[in-house]
Amino acid sequence: MKYIKSQMQHLIKDNRDLQRRLKEIMKEHKLEKDFALKALYHSEVASGGKYQTAYQALDPDKK
């Protein structure tokens, strides 16, 4: 599975928990949004997190 910024943004747009988590990561680690998105991807999606299926469903190559 590959990180795609637009997919990650779409996933976050539809999920309040991920929006909150993104803001926490940005504040806690003093990261810009792009870097925080990648961190969120690795912690909540790529590692087999609960959002992995939802992220994969957004993949345009699978449609």
Side-chain angles (χ1 to χ4, degrees), residues 2-17:
K2 184 177 175 185
Y3 170 78
I4 300 171
K5 182 180 174 181
S6 61
Q7 280 181 230
M8 208 47 207
Q9 289 172 327
H10 191 315
L11 184 66
I12 291 170
K13 182 177 108 178
D14 296 335
N15 190 300
R16 293 257 185 233
D17 290 335

Side-chain angles (χ1 to χ4, degrees), residues 32-54:
E32 294 177 14
K33 187 174 182 177
D34 288 343
F35 294 115
L37 277 171
K38 285 184 182 180
L40 186 62
Y41 167 79
H42 287 291
S43 68
E44 301 292 337
V45 177
S47 65
K50 66 181 180 178
Y51 300 104
Q52 186 176 40
T53 304

